Every structure is written in C-alpha cells, then in structure tokens.
C-alpha cells in the first residue's frame, strides 16, 4: 500500500475490525477483478468523445492536456486542424481525475496520484484501488491493503480502477472512435459492445 508521496503505510487492526472492513469493502465494490483487457493502442477517441465518456468539460480536457496532466497518447495535436486522439487508458485516467475532484481532492494531490498511475502498465491499473481520506490519496494493490485502510479509519472513500474501467468501456462502446491514421474503426466499437454484452449476460 503506497501513499502518493512514496511513503509506505501499515495499519494494525484486530481480526474483528478486519472482518467488518472486509464486509464494507465488498459492499462498496472496492475489491479486485482481473477480467479486463486493454484496447488496441492505435485506437483513439476525439476530445468530445473523451469528455462524454469521462464526464468532464472540453475546457477541463484542454487545460489538463496543456499542463501535462493527461496528454493524448494515440495522436497529440501537431498544429492547426489536427485532432487529438485519446487512448482508452487516457480516458480511464480522465474519469479517475473527475471522481477525485468530485470527492474534494486537490488538483495538486491528483497530479501526484496520476503521475504514479502513469508509471504503471495498463493491465496493472485494473489491480489498483485508490483510497483517500480527503487529504492524501493511497494506492492499494490487494484487498488486504484496502481492508487495513478501512479498519484503521484512514480510507474515507475508494475508487476501484477495475470498476471505472468497466464504466468507461461501456460508455465508449456507444461512441465513435478512430485509428491513429485517421480511419474510423467500427471493429473496435463492436469489440467493446461485445465485452459489455458478455458482462451483462454472464
């Protein structure tokens, strides 16, 4: 378990507190799932699509791109007339930032947390739950770490990135996307839609 200032944290708790916190974590959907796969790296989403999926304004998107918080990884803006393309991971991070802002976390703390997340591989993100006490953001990589934070009274809320992944995947399955070469990609949309249907029926 890591606080986003690179400080290792340990929380001592009784087995009774562990059991109670585990039940709470299960109800809140904070525990982990690995049934998630990344989209192809050359498939991207234009700014308005990324905004719609993440629930943010275009002004926020533009500001965060200009300040380096989340830059479009598929195709950056290279001059007048070029369209930025955001990858799936980019949209996932945008959604996480929105959740943290809504919870009252400062943009400075969010920048630190996103910097840590950006160093991880896309598959690894699905195994992380972000917890916050309103002042610091903690990254938990196992259910036991989530339980320790809850039992210690430090974690006020949590964001399971696997759950955010599913939300973004569902939103993007209904929105237009294109490849880095400028071609539209209906196959990627079909793949996202198929994954969504499989989860709903499975």
């Amino acid at each position: 378990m890591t606080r986003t200032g690179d400080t290792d944290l340990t929380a001592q708790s009784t087995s009774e507190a562990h059991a109670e916190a585990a039940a709470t974590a299960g109800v809140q959907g904070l525990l982990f799932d690995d049934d998630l796969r990344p989209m192809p790296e050359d498939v991207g989403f234009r700014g308005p699509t990324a905004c719609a999926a993440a629930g943010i304004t275009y002004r926020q998107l533009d500001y965060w791109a200009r300040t380096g918080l989340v830059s479009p990884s598929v195709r950056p803006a290279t001059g007048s007339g070029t369209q930025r393309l955001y990858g799936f991971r980019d949209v996932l991070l945008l959604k996480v930032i929105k959740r943290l802002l809504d919870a009252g976390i400062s943009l400075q703390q969010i920048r630190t947390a996103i910097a840590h997340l950006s160093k991880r591989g896309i598959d690894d993100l699905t195994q992380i739950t972000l917890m916050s006490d309103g002042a610091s953001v903690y990254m938990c990589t196992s259910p036991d770490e989530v339980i320790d934070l809850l039992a210690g009274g430090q974690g006020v809320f949590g964001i399971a990135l696997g759950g955010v992944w599913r939300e973004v995947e569902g939103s993007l399955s209904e929105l237009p996307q294109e490849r880095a070469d400028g071609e539209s990609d209906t196959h990627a949309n079909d793949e996202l839609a198929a994954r969504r249907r499989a989860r709903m029926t499975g």
Side-chain angles (χ1 to χ4, degrees):
M1 173 170 37
T2 305
R3 186 168 59 188
T4 56
D6 279 330
T7 303
D8 291 332
L9 300 173
T10 56
Q12 298 298 323
S13 57
T14 64
S15 58
E16 183 177 312
H18 262 256
E20 183 178 337
T24 303
V27 169
Q28 293 178 350
L30 301 179
L31 302 186
F32 300 78
D33 194 331
D34 58 4
D35 184 27
L36 301 164
R37 294 168 294 158
M39 289 293 297
E41 292 183 0
D42 64 340
V43 173
F45 308 89
R46 293 191 177 200
T49 301
C51 288
I56 62 173
T57 66
Y58 193 85
R59 184 176 179 181
Q60 287 175 309
L61 181 78
D62 185 58
Y63 176 69
W64 296 344
R66 286 188 287 106
T67 58
L69 181 57
V70 179
S71 300
S73 62
V74 176
R75 187 174 66 209
T78 55
S80 179
T82 60
Q83 290 281 341
R84 290 180 293 204
L85 283 184
Y86 289 82
F88 183 90
R89 177 193 171 100
D90 303 331
V91 180
L92 181 71
L93 292 177
L94 291 170
K95 184 84 169 179
V96 169
I97 293 168
K98 176 65 162 61
R99 290 276 183 87
L100 291 171
L101 284 173
D102 289 347
I105 306 301
S106 72
L107 196 57
Q108 182 178 359
Q109 282 285 345
I110 291 171
R111 285 186 184 279
T112 304
I114 294 302
H116 281 268
L117 290 177
S118 296
K119 293 176 185 176
R120 295 177 173 268
I122 192 164
D123 293 320
D124 194 28
L125 291 183
T126 65
Q127 299 299 311
I128 294 173
T129 290
L130 296 180
M131 303 289 290
S132 178
D133 55 9
S136 298
V137 179
Y138 305 86
M139 286 190 294
C140 302
T141 55
S142 75
D144 286 342
E145 291 176 348
V146 174
I147 291 165
D148 278 342
L149 270 179
L150 291 172
Q154 291 172 290
V156 174
F157 75 94
I159 301 172
L161 297 196
V164 179
W165 180 301
R166 287 196 178 87
E167 287 182 37
V168 170
E169 191 176 76
S171 298
L172 291 176
S173 68
E174 300 170 357
L175 295 169
Q177 55 192 264
E178 63 184 70
R179 294 196 174 276
D181 59 12
E183 296 294 320
S184 62
D185 191 346
T186 55
H187 172 72
N189 276 92
D190 292 344
E191 182 181 347
L192 280 169
R195 291 185 197 179
R196 189 182 188 193
R197 284 194 302 271
R199 289 208 180 91
M200 292 174 72
T201 60

